[in-house]
Amino acid sequence: RPEGFSPHTRSSPLTAPWEPIYARHLGDQVQLAVEVRTCHCNSRGMVHGGLIASLVDNAMGLSCVTVLRATGGTDISGLLTVSLHVDYLAAAKIGSWLVFETNQIKVGRTLSFAGAIVLADGNMIARASGVFRSAVASSRVPNGDQAS
């Protein structure tokens, strides 16, 4: 795995089949990394664009949350993606290491903005931008009922 990365401690039902995923914290950035395996690829043996979109969205959102919490946003329970744009510039194949680097972060009380690049073995294969809405912790449980 790339230098400075350790196992990513946050999992979801979507990303679980793609593990192991690695993370590295650099100041206000959360970078993610994964070694491309068959489960990450399309039928042509190239990394699937959906994996790139999902993990770059994750890296940008985590980076924005890091900045929000560092600047007093302690009531933020997470972020919701409002908009995600990905430009796919090149392909990556099985065995490549993908690194998702957030390189621009601007946070506000309600909306946050981020930009990122995706590298495959050090070569840029995608760039992305996202807009995120702050989700504030509430007393509602996921099915909409009031928490007791």
Side-chain angles (χ1 to χ4, degrees):
R1 68 178 169 229
E3 187 176 330
F5 283 84
S6 57
H8 187 37
T9 57
R10 190 167 173 186
S11 183
S12 76
L14 175 69
T15 60
W18 301 337
E19 292 180 9
I21 299 171
Y22 298 92
R24 172 171 64 185
H25 297 262
L26 297 174
D28 58 4
Q29 285 188 48
V30 177
Q31 297 182 348
L32 299 177
V34 65
E35 184 177 19
V36 178
R37 299 185 329 271
T38 304
C39 65
H40 303 134
C41 294
N42 59 28
S43 62
R44 293 177 303 283
M46 295 180 285
V47 69
H48 195 283
L51 174 120
I52 290 172
S54 296
L55 291 180
V56 77
D57 176 63
N58 195 325
M60 289 188 297
L62 290 170
S63 295
C64 289
V65 166
T66 298
V67 173
L68 282 165
R69 289 191 176 143
T71 57
T74 55
D75 62 339
I76 301 298
S77 62
L79 295 176
L80 304 170
T81 304
V82 173
S83 173
L84 177 66
H85 181 86
V86 182
D87 294 316
Y88 299 96
L89 308 172
K93 297 200 178 251
I94 294 172
S96 300
W97 274 98
L98 300 184
V99 176
F100 301 81
E101 294 184 357
T102 303
N103 55 18
Q104 302 169 15
I105 304 165
K106 175 157 179 31
V107 300
R109 219 169 60 121
T110 304
L111 294 177
S112 297
F113 304 85
I117 60 171
V118 182
L119 305 172
D121 296 330
N123 299 306
M124 188 166 57
I125 64 163
R127 64 182 173 211
S129 60
V131 180
F132 304 88
R133 187 177 199 293
S134 297
V136 179
S138 72
S139 60
R140 292 203 171 264
V141 291
N143 68 2
D145 295 336
Q146 291 291 331
S148 48

